[in-house]
Amino acid sequence: MVVAAGGTAGHVVPAMAVADELRASGAEVSFLGTRERTEAELVPAAGYEIDFVKVRGIDRRNPLRAARAGFEALGAVGAARAVLKERGADVVMGGGGFVAGPAGLAATLTRTPLVLTEADSHMGLANRLLAGRARRVCLAFPIEGREGDPYLVTGRPVPKGVLAADRTVARARFGIEAEARCLLVVGGSQGARSINFAAIEAFAEQPDALVPSMRGQVRPHDFHVVHIAGARDYPELERRLAAAPHRDRYTLLEYEPNLGDALAAADLVLGRSGGSIFEMVATGRPAILVPYPFATADHQTANAEWMRAGGAASVITDAELDAEDLRAQVAAVIEDPVRLGEMAAAARRLAKPDAARRIAAEVLEAAQ
């Protein structure tokens, strides 16, 4: 099995969850990716071999760069064909990212069975072009016009480590009292600067961190915050937190290899609405979502609406995000046990924790 996935952890981590299922079934699995991207670090660390091709995204705003990327992609198709031949590939799985397009085209040219996965509510360009040649297209969400063969709604794979994390151990790690509520803020390194700084202002820097209670009175918030900021904003947030009056109830992290411990410790999540929403619902965590407004085809808004319509989330637009409103919206959920419980139950109803196993079964069937 050759798994083509790369670019971001949002593509690589779910692909590795499927690879783990394939390897457990006795299959020989390798990856195809690029040297400069996330997969070059994550894949070998997980014990998988990886072959590299040179490819980049197409910048539609710059014709010269777009043309250069197009020529590079053609070269990547030839390189991918050579890898498939050398590996003796029985099947190729496209897991998303820049490398998936050339790898999928190489599979069709060599008549190697192809299985595609789509993590968003909007199909990417490569998947749209290759869907007609794939044995199966595994969708994270139902997509209008993508019903029937070869489409199958499987959900998005979630790493086993996320599902297996222990709440007591996680809370001890972050210094959270057993009975305290916990808000998890997932900032990330790309496109979430607004969330990072609204959260630090709302829950650490306010003089009294005052929020409305359930009884309509005003009092300091009494929940713990775990904030994963990402490398870009972490130094400035760390400096601001050091001078903040409520730093004792605020755990600031630069990076987490997976969200297992953080989700296990949390009662409510604040973040974007990319692929991580499947990890939220798989662990039964309700959310307040702030879709990234510049995502391709605005798919994060559609992702957030899926979770909101299911009763598991509320949504704030990026343009409307500010510390005062954020503080009030978080308090309205996290301090209301009934509402929090109802949203958590709704999240579990949306979950598809067997997605990795189902996709692996489709890959194995295609290989035969």
Side-chain angles (χ1 to χ4, degrees):
M1 318 296 184
V2 174
V3 178
T8 67
H11 291 132
V12 178
V13 172
M16 289 197 301
V18 179
D20 289 345
E21 294 285 346
L22 290 169
R23 186 163 59 180
S25 74
E28 184 177 313
V29 185
S30 67
F31 276 72
L32 187 65
T34 60
R35 292 185 184 277
E36 297 81 15
R37 309 295 289 187
T38 306
E39 61 270 27
E41 177 182 347
L42 293 182
V43 171
Y48 292 101
E49 294 183 2
I50 183 169
D51 298 294
F52 297 106
V53 297
K54 188 175 182 180
V55 66
R56 74 182 83 179
I58 296 177
D59 187 348
R60 297 180 177 88
R61 299 167 298 181
N62 188 313
L64 182 60
R65 290 182 181 177
R68 188 180 298 128
F71 282 115
E72 209 170 71
L74 290 176
V77 173
R81 289 183 66 175
V83 169
L84 300 188
K85 181 178 179 180
E86 182 180 351
R87 291 286 181 180
D90 294 302
V91 65
V92 172
M93 187 189 96
F98 304 147
V99 71
L105 185 54
T108 63
L109 292 174
T110 57
R111 298 185 179 181
T112 306
L114 174 64
V115 174
L116 300 174
T117 62
E118 178 55 65
D120 293 312
S121 53
H122 169 79
M123 282 190 67
L125 176 61
N127 279 353
R128 293 200 304 272
L129 295 175
L130 293 167
R133 299 178 180 273
R135 298 291 181 92
R136 181 66 73 192
V137 182
C138 298
L139 304 175
F141 302 89
I143 299 178
E144 186 176 355
R146 307 288 177 176
E147 300 91 4
D149 196 47
Y151 301 101
L152 178 67
V153 179
T154 59
R156 180 181 183 269
V158 174
K160 288 184 177 179
V162 169
L163 300 173
D166 182 86
R167 183 173 175 86
T168 302
V169 172
R171 287 193 152 223
R173 175 191 165 190
F174 297 129
I176 304 169
E177 296 179 3
E179 300 303 319
R181 302 281 185 186
C182 175
L183 170 69
L184 170 62
V185 180
V186 184
S189 60
Q190 298 296 324
R193 190 174 179 86
S194 57
I195 293 178
N196 279 335
F197 289 101
I200 200 84
E201 180 182 348
F203 306 117
E205 293 183 328
Q206 290 295 319
D208 297 309
L210 296 180
V211 295
S213 73
M214 289 185 293
R215 295 181 177 85
Q217 299 174 340
V218 177
R219 60 183 175 79
H221 76 72
D222 57 0
F223 52 86
H224 196 103
V225 178
V226 175
H227 184 163
I228 305 172
R232 181 188 59 193
D233 297 335
Y234 179 78
E236 185 174 352
L237 293 173
E238 185 180 38
R239 177 185 59 78
R240 288 174 59 167
L241 182 62
H246 299 286
R247 58 185 177 274
D248 57 322
R249 294 195 298 265
Y250 207 105
T251 301
L252 180 66
L253 306 171
E254 179 177 353
Y255 174 73
E256 280 286 286
N258 68 64
L259 292 179
D261 278 357
L263 285 169
D267 298 288
L268 178 67
V269 183
L270 167 67
R272 293 297 194 199
S273 48
S276 62
I277 63 173
F278 278 93
E279 297 179 3
M280 298 175 198
V281 298
T283 52
R285 297 298 180 265
I288 295 175
L289 301 174
V290 186
Y292 180 53
F294 304 110
T296 304
D298 199 23
H299 70 261
Q300 285 210 8
T301 296
N303 294 358
E305 175 58 23
W306 172 78
M307 198 167 170
R308 188 205 63 78
S314 60
V315 180
I316 306 173
T317 66
D318 194 80
E320 295 173 338
L321 182 64
D322 66 71
E324 184 177 354
D325 182 59
L326 176 62
R327 195 163 62 249
Q329 292 212 36
V330 167
V333 177
I334 204 167
E335 296 189 349
D336 185 341
V338 174
R339 183 177 178 187
L340 192 66
E342 290 174 347
M343 291 176 70
R348 286 188 288 270
R349 288 194 295 270
L350 292 172
K352 295 184 182 296
D354 63 343
R357 180 186 59 78
R358 294 184 66 192
I359 295 171
E362 296 297 329
V363 174
L364 290 168
E365 184 175 340
Q368 295 171 0

